[in-house]
Amino acid sequence: MDQLRTVEGRAFPLGRKNVDTDVIIPAHYLKTISRIGLGKGAFETVRAEPGNVFDDPEYAGSPILIAGDNFGCGSSREHAAWALNDMGIKAVIAPSFSDIFSGNAFKNGILTVVLPQEAVDRLLEVAKTDPIAIDLEHCSVTTPFQDRFEFEIDSFRRNCLMKGLDEIGLTLAMDSKISAYETRLATERSWLSA
Amino acid sequence: MSTKPTSNKPRTLYEKIWDAHVVDRRDDGTCLIYIDRHLVHEVTSPQAFEGLRVAGRTVRRPDLTLAVPDHNLPTTPRRAADGSRLPIADLESAQQLAALESNAPEFGIRYIDATAPEQGIVHVVGPEQGFSQPGTTIVCGDSHTSCHGGIGALAFGIGTSEVEHVLATQTLLLKQSKTMEIRVDGKLGFGVSPKDVILAIIGRIGAAGGTGYVIEYTGNVFREMSVEGRLTVSNMSIEGGARAGLIAPDETVFAYLEGRPMAPKGAEWDKAVAWWKTLPSDPGAVYDKVVIIDAAEISPSVTWGTSPEDVVPITGVVPDPDSFADPSKQEAARKSLAYMGLTPGMRMVDVPLEHIFIGSCTNSRIEDLRAAAAVAKGRKVSSRIKQALVVPGSGLVKLQAEAEGLDRIFLDAGFEWREPGCSMCLAMNPDKVPPGERCASTSNRNFVGRQGPGSRTHLLSPEMAAAAAINGHLSDVRDMMGGR
């Protein structure tokens, strides 16, 4: 996975709340057996709306997306994160995210930034005309107008993102602990091993 | 390992299951959690198996993993008259199903074939086979894994990277969630089903109300509920934002599981039951949040918008967007009503329909079909309904329903009686609601385009869906239950 320390550039000012993963990538795109190429189906229903932010040349190629509460709710489909990746989105800013989506985003090197609604409203305003900068080292979001918002992020996730670590590899290195647990499980809850 | 506490502090059901599954605890509070049961289906697994293959990794515990195709399968007959298997017309669906069919044996995983009587929706199959058990951690690359919380398992949906992580390590790195108790005491009114209970709960807490929490449903309403009803309730925990729901395992659950093919047998059964009995929350256990709902206040309900939180009693009207305090909710409601083609003040019972869907991991078990059949019996589906589908949750549910004659009731009334699968809940197979048309659906999501591009969905209970089919519009099932 690529290392992620800063994300700078324009942002799609989507703003709306409860953006579910069916909106991010509709079910008829889930039949792929690959992780790439889903950008073409991303936000299909939003793109059908005249004047939507995704087809506005002003925001073409933006690496940041700004949304409302509960972004990524609904289905667990990781295709939502793959679709954002395919669009070139490196970070999403919102007042809250669904638990499953934020995990999927993290595992695909996408940073989810949680900020209070007032800060998100200000960034939505700035995004219409100017770029935004996210610094994962200092956990801050800044604008060319001296705005500065600090965010909190799980330290493990931050470390993995900044170093581009492979989580499965990290866990497999703990094989002896998993084996010890399984040995105890085989006696204490023996009915679980069919 | 055992649920032994680290202190004498009373613990919740969630905390006991969590403690029993900690393999390793990191300084930052993240835990490596052991996974007892992993359900795999065709949509969210191909990229995970591909990842294992590329890295040269194997499946650590194939014996704890069960693969079943469900999302893409057509619900039309799967075998020709001569017994040969019928091809799947959609090439992408066929490719995805074929990938699971070859990945399962390649990695040594048990696989239930599309034509086996045990096949069905993963969340129906798990409990039905006794694969899902109380006190276990259960994951699946599907958000409705929350369903299995109905039998007292800590069950939650995961993404494909996590599917790969579980396949390779049988663990997940997780942070402990906060706990929310949702207590419903009292007596449910006439015609009020488990679906109405969970819709009322989501209407109360909102679609993001449970984000970051695991919900435990407590109170006499859940204690008195069947296992099928509990699975319906816990299934939709995710629609309230909670990754998992839980209902304390009890004699009702033990009686349901005993004798099922993958449930423990003999001395192992006794040992399991003894452990399961230690799981319910201790008296005095503290939840981070408590929500109390009076059972008597819950009515048969339907959704009006494009979020599962958009719930009103069937006796209610389409709300005015301006009636919401939150400006962003006002805007969302305006968009929803435009999409749904509804106007504020319209009575819900006046909403006309073109489609009926009785099925999905929320409401496709035998009790659901019995409830719908009781309303449909001796009646006819309205001529305005273009299609009324009944899709059993598994082949075994279908056989049971046929043994009880429910298929005849549905067919005589004008419903279609289909093969098991996810079907019109998410329209990955050929069962779709056409653009601009309206469906009364027993499924779990009324999102924009969920049942097909441009489709309009009203969520409701199986008995309410049957009533809607007969009348051709949303209906109060209580008006049709008199004297029955």
Side-chain angles (χ1 to χ4, degrees), chain A residues 76-135:
Chain A
S76 62
R77 60 189 69 165
E78 193 160 323
H79 308 68
W82 300 335
L84 295 182
N85 247 344
D86 208 50
M87 288 174 71
I89 289 174
K90 304 279 179 218
V92 185
I93 300 172
S96 70
F97 292 88
S98 93
D99 295 335
I100 298 177
F101 174 81
S102 62
N104 285 339
F106 156 67
K107 285 172 173 55
N108 287 279
I110 298 171
L111 173 63
T112 53
V113 176
V114 177
L115 286 175
Q117 185 68 53
E118 308 80 62
V120 171
D121 288 343
R122 169 64 186 156
L123 292 172
L124 282 167
E125 196 55 40
V126 172
K128 287 178 187 162
T129 50
D130 288 272
I132 282 167
I134 304 171
D135 181 341

Side-chain angles (χ1 to χ4, degrees), chain B residues 281-295:
Chain B
S281 296
D282 296 326
V286 177
Y287 299 87
D288 295 301
K289 189 171 181 181
V290 178
V291 175
I292 296 173
I293 295 175
D294 179 358

Side-chain angles (χ1 to χ4, degrees), chain B residues 154-193:
Chain B
L154 177 58
F156 50 90
I158 55 177
T160 299
S161 292
E162 289 170 310
V163 170
E164 187 179 338
H165 194 277
V166 174
L167 289 171
T169 70
Q170 206 57 35
T171 63
L172 278 177
L173 274 167
L174 295 168
K175 272 235 159 98
Q176 200 165 347
S177 300
K178 292 178 286 184
T179 54
M180 181 189 295
E181 178 187 22
I182 296 184
R183 191 157 74 229
V184 187
D185 278 314
K187 188 167 162 39
L188 290 176
F190 177 63
V192 177
S193 76

